[in-house]
Amino acid sequence: MRLFATQSEYADRVAAAVEAENHCTNQMRLLIDQISMQQGRIVALEDEKKRRDEECGQLKALVKDLERRGLERLVDKVQVPVAAVVIMACNRANYLERTINSVFKYVLTFRYQGSVASKYPLFVSQDGSNPQVKSKALSYDKLTYMQHLDFEPVHADNPGELTAYYKIARHYKWALDNLFYKHNFSRVIILEDDMEIAPDFFDYFEAAADLLDKDKSIMAVSSWNDNGQKQFVHDPYVLYRSDFFPGLGWMLTRTTWDELSPKWPKAYPCCYFSLFFFSLGSSLGQFFQQYLAPIKLNDVPVDWKSRDLSYLIKDNYEKYFAEIVKKATPVHGENVVLKAHDIEGDVRIEYKDQSHFEIIARQFGIFNEWKDGIPRTAYKGVVVFRYQTPRRIFLVGPDSLRQLGIKDP
C-alpha cells in the first residue's frame, strides 16, 4: 500500500506540474498579447503625437502670420512717435504763444498734416502757477499740458548764485522723468518758450534720431548754433559735432536719460555732451543784442532724411574733420582778422589759452565764453565758423592738432 500511495502522489504531482506549466504558458501568452497591444498603442500614440505636432506647427505659423498682418495694419493706422516735443515754460505767456504757433505752423501745414502731429506729440511743461501761462497752454487742444509745482526752498551752493538755475534744473528733471518714464517715449526734444523753429526742424530731428541710435557716443542732438549769427553761417546743409552742450532745441534718448537722471545736476546748465549743432533756432535772453538777435533762422527746407549723414558717426567724423582742418591755411601773428580776410579758402588760427582765445573771438565777434574749460561750439578745442564769405575759420587750441592726429608743419 505504501508503494501505491507514493505512485498516486507522484501522478498527482505530475498532473499539477503540467497544469501549472500550462497556466504559466497561458499567462505568458496573455502577457505577450498585452505587450503587443501596448506596443501597438505606443506606436499609435507616437503617430498621434507626430500628427498633433504638425498641426501645432501649422497653427503657430498661422498665428504668427495673423499677428504680422495685424501689426502691419496697426502700424499703418498708428504712427510710432519719433520723439515727444516739450516746450519748457514758466511765466511768459506771450513768448509761449509765439513758440507754440511756430511749432504748429509746420505741424498743421499741408505737407506735414497728420504726419508730424503723430510723430512729434507736443507737450507744454509749466514750472509754477502763473495763470496766464496755464490759460494760454490749455487754450490749445492739440497739445498736452503738464504743471510742475515745486515749493521746496532753494539753497544755493555758492553765495550770490542765481537760484533760478536750481529751479530750472528741478523742472527739467521732473519733465523728462515724466515724459520718459510715465509717458514712455523713447526720445524727447526740449524747446525753450522763447524759440522759433525752422521749416526743416522735424526732418532734421527725424534724421538725427537714426544717428542717435547708431552712434552711442552722441549723447544729444541740438538744433542750435551759438555762433549762428547771419555773418557766421553760410551752408544750411552742414552739421558738426561738438563737445559743448548748447542747451537749446535739443533731443536725447531714454537710454541717455537713464544714465543722467540719477545724477542730474542741482543747477542748470552745467553739463556737457558730445553732440551736433546747427543754425536753426532763435532765442531771447542774456547777450541778446550782441549774440542772439542776429541769429539766422534757417529758411531752407532741407530734406535731411535723403542726405547721407554717416560722416557724423564718431570714427568717420574724426577723419573728416581732421582733413578739413589740415587743409586750412595757417595764420599767425597779429591782425589775424585782416589776414584771414585776404586769404581765399579756409583759415586756421591757433590760440594759446583761454585768454588768447577770448581776444581772437572778440576780434571776429563770435562768442568768447568758456564753460568747464570748453569754448562754445568747440570740438577737440576747435571752434569753426564762417566769416563773411563761404570761407571757414578754424580757431584751433594748443592741443587740438595732436588730438586730431594732424602733424603741424
PDB file of all heavy atoms in Angstrom, residues 15-33:
ATOM      1  N   ALA A  15       0.608  15.799 -12.625  1.00  0.00           N
ATOM      2  CA  ALA A  15      -0.555  16.465 -13.207  1.00  0.00           C
ATOM      3  C   ALA A  15      -0.614  17.941 -12.797  1.00  0.00           C
ATOM      4  O   ALA A  15      -0.924  18.841 -13.598  1.00  0.00           O
ATOM      5  CB  ALA A  15      -1.834  15.743 -12.776  1.00  0.00           C
ATOM      6  N   ALA A  16      -0.292  18.171 -11.503  1.00  0.00           N
ATOM      7  CA  ALA A  16      -0.296  19.550 -11.011  1.00  0.00           C
ATOM      8  C   ALA A  16       0.780  20.375 -11.702  1.00  0.00           C
ATOM      9  O   ALA A  16       0.589  21.559 -12.045  1.00  0.00           O
ATOM     10  CB  ALA A  16      -0.096  19.560  -9.489  1.00  0.00           C
ATOM     11  N   ALA A  17       1.944  19.757 -11.912  1.00  0.00           N
ATOM     12  CA  ALA A  17       3.047  20.473 -12.571  1.00  0.00           C
ATOM     13  C   ALA A  17       2.682  20.811 -14.011  1.00  0.00           C
ATOM     14  O   ALA A  17       2.965  21.898 -14.504  1.00  0.00           O
ATOM     15  CB  ALA A  17       4.315  19.615 -12.528  1.00  0.00           C
ATOM     16  N   VAL A  18       2.043  19.812 -14.679  1.00  0.00           N
ATOM     17  CA  VAL A  18       1.636  20.065 -16.065  1.00  0.00           C
ATOM     18  C   VAL A  18       0.609  21.189 -16.121  1.00  0.00           C
ATOM     19  O   VAL A  18       0.652  22.077 -16.978  1.00  0.00           O
ATOM     20  CB  VAL A  18       1.068  18.774 -16.694  1.00  0.00           C
ATOM     21  CG1 VAL A  18       0.436  19.070 -18.050  1.00  0.00           C
ATOM     22  CG2 VAL A  18       2.172  17.719 -16.825  1.00  0.00           C
ATOM     23  N   GLU A  19      -0.324  21.140 -15.146  1.00  0.00           N
ATOM     24  CA  GLU A  19      -1.356  22.178 -15.114  1.00  0.00           C
ATOM     25  C   GLU A  19      -0.739  23.551 -14.839  1.00  0.00           C
ATOM     26  O   GLU A  19      -1.112  24.563 -15.456  1.00  0.00           O
ATOM     27  CB  GLU A  19      -2.381  21.833 -14.032  1.00  0.00           C
ATOM     28  CG  GLU A  19      -3.541  22.824 -13.984  1.00  0.00           C
ATOM     29  CD  GLU A  19      -4.560  22.447 -12.923  1.00  0.00           C
ATOM     30  OE1 GLU A  19      -4.407  21.396 -12.277  1.00  0.00           O
ATOM     31  OE2 GLU A  19      -5.507  23.246 -12.742  1.00  0.00           O
ATOM     32  N   ALA A  20       0.240  23.569 -13.927  1.00  0.00           N
ATOM     33  CA  ALA A  20       0.913  24.835 -13.613  1.00  0.00           C
ATOM     34  C   ALA A  20       1.678  25.359 -14.819  1.00  0.00           C
ATOM     35  O   ALA A  20       1.691  26.550 -15.114  1.00  0.00           O
ATOM     36  CB  ALA A  20       1.855  24.636 -12.419  1.00  0.00           C
ATOM     37  N   GLU A  21       2.339  24.442 -15.520  1.00  0.00           N
ATOM     38  CA  GLU A  21       3.090  24.843 -16.708  1.00  0.00           C
ATOM     39  C   GLU A  21       2.156  25.410 -17.776  1.00  0.00           C
ATOM     40  O   GLU A  21       2.449  26.420 -18.416  1.00  0.00           O
ATOM     41  CB  GLU A  21       3.849  23.639 -17.263  1.00  0.00           C
ATOM     42  CG  GLU A  21       4.706  24.005 -18.470  1.00  0.00           C
ATOM     43  CD  GLU A  21       5.479  22.789 -19.003  1.00  0.00           C
ATOM     44  OE1 GLU A  21       5.372  21.699 -18.432  1.00  0.00           O
ATOM     45  OE2 GLU A  21       6.185  22.980 -20.021  1.00  0.00           O
ATOM     46  N   ASN A  22       1.004  24.723 -17.940  1.00  0.00           N
ATOM     47  CA  ASN A  22       0.028  25.210 -18.918  1.00  0.00           C
ATOM     48  C   ASN A  22      -0.503  26.601 -18.531  1.00  0.00           C
ATOM     49  O   ASN A  22      -0.688  27.486 -19.377  1.00  0.00           O
ATOM     50  CB  ASN A  22      -1.133  24.226 -19.038  1.00  0.00           C
ATOM     51  CG  ASN A  22      -0.707  22.917 -19.713  1.00  0.00           C
ATOM     52  OD1 ASN A  22       0.280  22.895 -20.459  1.00  0.00           O
ATOM     53  ND2 ASN A  22      -1.437  21.831 -19.435  1.00  0.00           N
ATOM     54  N   HIS A  23      -0.740  26.759 -17.216  1.00  0.00           N
ATOM     55  CA  HIS A  23      -1.228  28.058 -16.735  1.00  0.00           C
ATOM     56  C   HIS A  23      -0.192  29.150 -16.977  1.00  0.00           C
ATOM     57  O   HIS A  23      -0.512  30.262 -17.410  1.00  0.00           O
ATOM     58  CB  HIS A  23      -1.558  27.949 -15.242  1.00  0.00           C
ATOM     59  CG  HIS A  23      -2.025  29.246 -14.661  1.00  0.00           C
ATOM     60  ND1 HIS A  23      -3.263  29.791 -14.928  1.00  0.00           N
ATOM     61  CD2 HIS A  23      -1.390  30.131 -13.806  1.00  0.00           C
ATOM     62  CE1 HIS A  23      -3.386  30.934 -14.289  1.00  0.00           C
ATOM     63  NE2 HIS A  23      -2.259  31.157 -13.581  1.00  0.00           N
ATOM     64  N   CYS A  24       1.076  28.745 -16.692  1.00  0.00           N
ATOM     65  CA  CYS A  24       2.169  29.715 -16.880  1.00  0.00           C
ATOM     66  C   CYS A  24       2.296  30.080 -18.355  1.00  0.00           C
ATOM     67  O   CYS A  24       2.493  31.249 -18.706  1.00  0.00           O
ATOM     68  CB  CYS A  24       3.464  29.105 -16.341  1.00  0.00           C
ATOM     69  SG  CYS A  24       4.884  30.231 -16.438  1.00  0.00           S
ATOM     70  N   THR A  25       2.167  29.071 -19.196  1.00  0.00           N
ATOM     71  CA  THR A  25       2.254  29.325 -20.640  1.00  0.00           C
ATOM     72  C   THR A  25       1.122  30.236 -21.088  1.00  0.00           C
ATOM     73  O   THR A  25       1.320  31.176 -21.876  1.00  0.00           O
ATOM     74  CB  THR A  25       2.193  27.991 -21.408  1.00  0.00           C
ATOM     75  OG1 THR A  25       3.304  27.166 -20.991  1.00  0.00           O
ATOM     76  CG2 THR A  25       2.285  28.238 -22.909  1.00  0.00           C
ATOM     77  N   ASN A  26      -0.070  29.977 -20.562  1.00  0.00           N
ATOM     78  CA  ASN A  26      -1.211  30.821 -20.916  1.00  0.00           C
ATOM     79  C   ASN A  26      -1.018  32.265 -20.450  1.00  0.00           C
ATOM     80  O   ASN A  26      -1.347  33.228 -21.148  1.00  0.00           O
ATOM     81  CB  ASN A  26      -2.498  30.237 -20.316  1.00  0.00           C
ATOM     82  CG  ASN A  26      -2.897  28.926 -20.993  1.00  0.00           C
ATOM     83  OD1 ASN A  26      -2.540  28.684 -22.158  1.00  0.00           O
ATOM     84  ND2 ASN A  26      -3.623  28.071 -20.273  1.00  0.00           N
ATOM     85  N   GLN A  27      -0.496  32.370 -19.202  1.00  0.00           N
ATOM     86  CA  GLN A  27      -0.246  33.708 -18.666  1.00  0.00           C
ATOM     87  C   GLN A  27       0.818  34.444 -19.497  1.00  0.00           C
ATOM     88  O   GLN A  27       0.714  35.644 -19.759  1.00  0.00           O
ATOM     89  CB  GLN A  27       0.216  33.613 -17.202  1.00  0.00           C
ATOM     90  CG  GLN A  27      -0.879  33.170 -16.236  1.00  0.00           C
ATOM     91  CD  GLN A  27      -1.994  34.201 -16.143  1.00  0.00           C
ATOM     92  OE1 GLN A  27      -1.744  35.397 -16.088  1.00  0.00           O
ATOM     93  NE2 GLN A  27      -3.237  33.744 -16.144  1.00  0.00           N
ATOM     94  N   MET A  28       1.838  33.637 -19.902  1.00  0.00           N
ATOM     95  CA  MET A  28       2.893  34.237 -20.716  1.00  0.00           C
ATOM     96  C   MET A  28       2.337  34.707 -22.049  1.00  0.00           C
ATOM     97  O   MET A  28       2.653  35.809 -22.512  1.00  0.00           O
ATOM     98  CB  MET A  28       4.011  33.206 -20.941  1.00  0.00           C
ATOM     99  CG  MET A  28       5.215  33.745 -21.718  1.00  0.00           C
ATOM    100  SD  MET A  28       6.127  35.008 -20.797  1.00  0.00           S
ATOM    101  CE  MET A  28       6.859  33.961 -19.524  1.00  0.00           C
ATOM    102  N   ARG A  29       1.508  33.875 -22.647  1.00  0.00           N
ATOM    103  CA  ARG A  29       0.907  34.263 -23.920  1.00  0.00           C
ATOM    104  C   ARG A  29       0.002  35.486 -23.747  1.00  0.00           C
ATOM    105  O   ARG A  29      -0.013  36.386 -24.599  1.00  0.00           O
ATOM    106  CB  ARG A  29       0.095  33.096 -24.485  1.00  0.00           C
ATOM    107  CG  ARG A  29       0.966  31.958 -25.021  1.00  0.00           C
ATOM    108  CD  ARG A  29       0.100  30.791 -25.433  1.00  0.00           C
ATOM    109  NE  ARG A  29       0.936  29.715 -25.975  1.00  0.00           N
ATOM    110  CZ  ARG A  29       0.488  28.496 -26.269  1.00  0.00           C
ATOM    111  NH1 ARG A  29      -0.792  28.226 -26.058  1.00  0.00           N
ATOM    112  NH2 ARG A  29       1.303  27.577 -26.765  1.00  0.00           N
ATOM    113  N   LEU A  30      -0.735  35.500 -22.624  1.00  0.00           N
ATOM    114  CA  LEU A  30      -1.602  36.651 -22.358  1.00  0.00           C
ATOM    115  C   LEU A  30      -0.780  37.921 -22.175  1.00  0.00           C
ATOM    116  O   LEU A  30      -1.132  38.996 -22.678  1.00  0.00           O
ATOM    117  CB  LEU A  30      -2.435  36.362 -21.103  1.00  0.00           C
ATOM    118  CG  LEU A  30      -3.438  37.463 -20.694  1.00  0.00           C
ATOM    119  CD1 LEU A  30      -4.461  37.694 -21.799  1.00  0.00           C
ATOM    120  CD2 LEU A  30      -4.151  37.086 -19.384  1.00  0.00           C
ATOM    121  N   LEU A  31       0.340  37.761 -21.464  1.00  0.00           N
ATOM    122  CA  LEU A  31       1.216  38.918 -21.239  1.00  0.00           C
ATOM    123  C   LEU A  31       1.814  39.410 -22.549  1.00  0.00           C
ATOM    124  O   LEU A  31       1.903  40.624 -22.790  1.00  0.00           O
ATOM    125  CB  LEU A  31       2.312  38.529 -20.252  1.00  0.00           C
ATOM    126  CG  LEU A  31       3.289  39.643 -19.849  1.00  0.00           C
ATOM    127  CD1 LEU A  31       2.542  40.800 -19.210  1.00  0.00           C
ATOM    128  CD2 LEU A  31       4.362  39.098 -18.904  1.00  0.00           C
ATOM    129  N   ILE A  32       2.224  38.420 -23.383  1.00  0.00           N
ATOM    130  CA  ILE A  32       2.784  38.777 -24.694  1.00  0.00           C
ATOM    131  C   ILE A  32       1.740  39.504 -25.531  1.00  0.00           C
ATOM    132  O   ILE A  32       2.027  40.512 -26.203  1.00  0.00           O
ATOM    133  CB  ILE A  32       3.297  37.525 -25.429  1.00  0.00           C
ATOM    134  CG1 ILE A  32       4.556  36.986 -24.711  1.00  0.00           C
ATOM    135  CG2 ILE A  32       3.617  37.839 -26.893  1.00  0.00           C
ATOM    136  CD1 ILE A  32       5.027  35.638 -25.224  1.00  0.00           C
ATOM    137  N   ASP A  33       0.514  39.011 -25.461  1.00  0.00           N
ATOM    138  CA  ASP A  33      -0.563  39.688 -26.198  1.00  0.00           C
ATOM    139  C   ASP A  33      -0.786  41.109 -25.695  1.00  0.00           C
ATOM    140  O   ASP A  33      -0.989  42.054 -26.483  1.00  0.00           O
ATOM    141  CB  ASP A  33      -1.872  38.876 -26.070  1.00  0.00           C
ATOM    142  CG  ASP A  33      -1.808  37.556 -26.825  1.00  0.00           C
ATOM    143  OD1 ASP A  33      -0.935  37.446 -27.717  1.00  0.00           O
ATOM    144  OD2 ASP A  33      -2.624  36.664 -26.518  1.00  0.00           O
TER     145      ASP A  33
END
